[in-house]
Amino acid sequence: MNKNYLFLAGLIIIAALYPITSSAYITVGISVLLFTGWATSWNLLGGWAGQLSLGHASFVGLGAYFVAIGSSQFGLAPWWSILVAMAVAAVMALIWGKLTFGLRGPYFSLSTIAIAEILRLVAINESWLTGGASGVFIDTLPQPFGVDLFDQKIQYYLALLYAAVTIAVTIFISSRRFGYQLKAVRDNEEAAMAAGINPSVVKLKAFVLSGAMTALGGGIYGIFLSFIEPHIIFNLLFSIQIALTVIIGGRGTIWGPAVGAALLVISGEIFRTAFAQANMLVYGVLILVVILVLPRGVVGEYAHKLIRRKYANRA
């Protein structure tokens, strides 16, 4: 069995014990797990395929809004709403990718910003469905097998399951043909084409999978928040934070997003408490220092040193 699967199983067991042993800071734990899932999903496109997206908040918002609207207006159970949201996110990524993967340089990144902005404007103007700028509440949810989905411990385990699934998918892809194609396209598109790989098709598959998995986490986020507001959920800074999580942890690595999520979320909470008004300044300086000192990200630099040491020993 792949060692990464064993490591993941060990982490799941340890993480699953946390709410049982202590309920302190459980919301921080939920945030770390959700950002791990979102960042891992983003990493498929931004890290493995090398396509920088600054619009992944749109997929998070889709998942959250579908759960909110489905429960409040149509009486749908959240799992059905999430499945629909994942399908819509996949179709949206498919269409958007076909329209924009021909763009070079920063133009694809700029185009992804438009996705979230369009959805934000739709959410504000279609108030009959979304509640408009005032947002929409999630006040009633079914209780499958008597389980209260508003219970934070249940939300924690949902977030843990989500993070575990996204990491497992990445581990699976990394050792398969699709994973090698993604790396080839990221490193050199011309060489990949010469080897018979269609870069647009490979990136499109990554975009579709990334969008669907991000929407899955968005549905859980909607249950966690219980209130969805367009200016927050479709915020550009939210998309940037997801991307930064991967960049700091390590793009194109399996564990980089999880490490980045833990560093950013936990440090953000610490600075908010310790530095009050200056917390964002300190937080920004920390991010800048990490990027300058560890340009490949924490996990990326560690993996690079291991490779160098391995070949040095052989010599």
Side-chain angles (χ1 to χ4, degrees), residues 96-109:
W96 201 264
K98 284 188 173 183
L99 291 173
T100 58
F101 277 143
L103 300 175
R104 294 293 183 123
Y107 298 108
F108 171 76
S109 301

Side-chain angles (χ1 to χ4, degrees), residues 103-278:
L103 300 175
R104 294 293 183 123
Y107 298 108
F108 171 76
S109 301
L110 293 173
S111 73
T112 58
I113 298 174
I115 301 176
E117 183 62 19
I118 290 170
L119 290 179
R120 185 183 71 84
L121 293 174
V122 170
I124 290 173
N125 291 293
E126 302 301 322
S127 56
W128 62 275
L129 182 64
T130 64
S134 300
V136 58
F137 282 95
I138 303 175
D139 49 15
T140 57
L141 287 173
Q143 295 188 1
F145 306 105
V147 175
D148 182 9
L149 295 177
F150 290 116
D151 185 336
Q152 285 195 335
K153 286 185 178 180
I154 301 302
Q155 294 169 355
Y156 176 90
Y157 287 119
L158 288 174
L160 175 59
L161 178 62
Y162 169 58
V165 167
T166 57
I167 293 173
V169 169
T170 303
I171 294 172
F172 178 80
I173 288 175
S174 67
S175 59
R176 296 298 188 277
R177 182 182 179 184
F178 181 47
Y180 295 119
Q181 288 178 335
L182 286 172
K183 293 177 186 177
V185 170
R186 177 192 64 197
D187 295 339
N188 192 320
E189 281 197 25
E190 286 73 18
M193 291 175 66
I197 299 172
N198 187 327
S200 295
V201 172
V202 171
K203 290 187 289 186
L204 200 58
K205 290 179 181 178
F207 198 8
V208 168
L209 184 57
S210 177
M213 292 201 307
T214 306
L216 171 59
I220 298 171
Y221 189 48
I223 296 172
F224 172 56
L225 288 180
S226 300
F227 173 71
I228 316 300
E229 197 269 333
H231 294 293
I232 296 175
I233 202 74
F234 294 120
N235 196 312
L236 173 61
L237 293 178
F238 190 14
S239 292
I240 293 174
Q241 191 173 5
I242 294 173
L244 273 176
T245 299
V246 183
I247 292 169
I248 288 175
R251 293 176 66 181
T253 64
I254 294 172
W255 301 106
V259 172
L263 286 174
L264 285 183
V265 174
I266 294 174
S267 62
E269 289 297 320
I270 293 172
F271 295 149
R272 187 177 293 113
T273 303
F275 297 99
Q277 298 298 323

